[in-house]
């Protein structure tokens, strides 16, 4: 639909393996559980997989057939901030979605975290303008 081009926009903006923990679900604080996740940023959401989907899997656009995401959040209206006050780890990014789901993303590689920050900010700002 040309009037609302990003309402359901599954094209991949960025993907990669990054350390992640969920810290809140619907506004309720959760115990941290850091671990690597394969994260896919699309035109309107952030999708988490337990591991990288097999490269050989026949692709349906960005979503490899047969792989099921562990979770997925809508980024419309989400807030993005440094997570340095929320963790002792370095290079931490804090994401809070409108329904109150909160995540930390972390990489030991600063440029990697900066790239995620930029890509997420671009998607969230674009959704804000729509
Ligand atoms: O923010 P917290 O609660 O100090 O986070 C640390 C704890 O979750 C700790 O687990 P337990 O309290 O369940 O043992 C984790 O092992 C740490 O990694 C958490 O802190 P960092 O600073 O790594 O985000």
């Amino acid at each position: 639909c040309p009037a609302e081009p990003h309402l359901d926009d599954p094209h991949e903006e960025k993907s990669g393996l990054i350390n992640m923990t969920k810290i809140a679900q619907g506004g309720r604080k959760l115990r941290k559980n850091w671990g690597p996740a394969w994260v896919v940023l699309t035109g309107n959401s952030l999708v988490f997989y337990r591991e990288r989907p097999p490269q050989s899997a026949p692709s349906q656009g960005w979503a490899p057939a047969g792989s099921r995401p562990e979770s997925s959040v809508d980024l419309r209206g989400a807030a993005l901030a440094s997570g340095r006050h929320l963790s002792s780890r370095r290079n931490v990014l804090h994401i809070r979605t409108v329904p109150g789901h909160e995540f930390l993303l972390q990489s030991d590689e600063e440029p990697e975290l900066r790239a995620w920050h930029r890509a997420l900010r671009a998607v969230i700002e674009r959704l804000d303008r729509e």
Side-chain angles (χ1 to χ4, degrees):
C1 169
E4 293 171 313
H6 303 294
L7 207 65
D8 182 21
D9 180 355
H11 83 267
E12 179 177 317
E13 300 277 349
K14 181 172 174 59
S15 64
L17 195 68
I18 192 160
N19 297 318
M20 188 276 278
T21 180
K22 199 167 189 176
I23 58 168
Q25 167 78 32
R28 285 191 54 171
K29 199 165 179 275
L30 298 175
R31 188 168 190 172
K32 280 181 185 165
N33 183 19
W34 282 107
W38 184 261
V39 182
V40 178
L41 174 63
T42 75
N44 62 353
S45 11
L46 198 57
V47 187
F48 300 99
Y49 294 85
R50 197 178 297 280
E51 56 194 28
R52 182 178 195 160
Q55 298 297 285
S56 57
S59 163
Q60 304 171 331
W62 61 273
S67 63
R68 251 198 314 152
E70 198 166 336
S71 61
S72 162
V73 291
D74 184 353
L75 289 173
R76 190 176 297 271
L80 194 60
S82 163
R84 75 165 61 88
H85 58 299
L86 294 171
S87 176
S88 62
R89 296 184 173 214
R90 59 184 177 166
N91 310 322
V92 179
L93 196 56
H94 178 211
I95 303 159
R96 192 183 65 248
T97 66
V98 169
H101 308 322
E102 297 182 53
F103 303 87
L104 300 179
L105 300 184
Q106 188 267 341
S107 173
D108 289 339
E109 310 299 327
E110 190 182 349
E112 184 56 24
L113 197 83
R114 282 178 179 281
W116 275 103
H117 197 158
R118 272 197 307 275
L120 279 157
R121 189 172 52 213
V123 167
I124 292 167
E125 285 180 353
R126 195 189 59 222
L127 290 168
D128 280 348
R129 290 195 301 269
E130 283 176 11

